[in-house]
Amino acid sequence: MLEVKLSSQPVPEAGVSIAEAAERTGVSVHTLRYYERAGLVITAVDRTSGGRRRYRELDLRWINMCTRLRSTGMPIRVIREYADLVLAGVGNEKARLALLESHRAEVLTKLAELQENLELIDHKIDVYRGRLEAGTADTLWFPGPTG
């Protein structure tokens, strides 16, 4: 099982401030507030008596999950759908699995496209290196006017 370590420091029982949560998760304070407004956070973030947010370990782990899903291209609406399924509790595990499997297939397609594009870039690098070493770089294609 993938164990995500957010920080070497344990989260205090009282939680951490929004600034520290941002630092620990690697997202901005603005993003944390947005995730909360967008309905992506699966727990009600605790507040101090003064109304300041306090994030607990579960909140930080969930935010890390959302951030990772987002970085793989999962749309916010799909992350929200996943969060809603998690919040609904037991009984929808097949729907959660289907959602994640569908996204995984999309990520694999994107990875294959990126690999193909990387191969083209590597080829062009090899061409440039070879031409520079051979002293024939001036014969590389140039879209300027011909004389």
Side-chain angles (χ1 to χ4, degrees):
M1 183 165 122
L2 177 64
E3 183 66 28
V4 178
K5 186 154 182 127
L6 296 167
S7 171
S8 60
Q9 298 293 322
V11 176
E13 183 140 344
V16 296
S17 69
I18 193 168
E20 188 170 345
E23 183 179 322
R24 286 175 180 243
T25 59
V27 299
S28 68
V29 168
H30 173 77
T31 299
L32 289 173
R33 288 185 182 124
Y34 173 76
Y35 278 9
E36 202 174 330
R37 281 191 317 274
L40 303 182
V41 182
I42 59 169
T43 61
V45 175
D46 288 340
R47 303 266 182 163
T48 65
S49 58
R52 296 190 184 274
R53 290 171 174 84
R54 300 300 290 180
Y55 291 85
R56 301 200 187 284
E57 181 73 24
L58 177 63
D59 302 321
L60 299 182
R61 288 188 181 282
W62 181 259
I63 289 162
N64 182 269
M65 170 89 168
C66 291
T67 301
R68 286 178 176 223
L69 292 174
R70 189 72 191 109
S71 72
T72 61
M74 183 180 277
I76 293 292
R77 68 173 174 71
V78 178
I79 297 172
R80 186 178 306 115
E81 181 182 339
Y82 181 66
D84 289 344
L85 288 168
V86 170
L87 279 169
V90 177
N92 61 25
E93 293 80 7
K94 286 183 182 178
R96 292 185 217 178
L97 176 61
L99 185 147
L100 292 171
E101 285 177 335
S102 173
H103 183 63
R104 183 179 190 279
E106 292 172 16
V107 169
L108 287 172
T109 298
K110 288 177 190 172
L111 282 172
E113 290 170 2
L114 283 172
Q115 184 61 44
E116 189 175 312
N117 293 337
L118 180 60
E119 288 169 10
L120 173 68
I121 293 167
D122 286 342
H123 170 73
K124 294 305 286 183
I125 288 170
D126 289 343
V127 167
Y128 276 86
R129 282 187 180 146
R131 292 290 185 96
L132 286 168
E133 287 174 10
T136 59
D138 59 338
T139 63
L140 288 167
W141 181 77
F142 175 68
T146 57

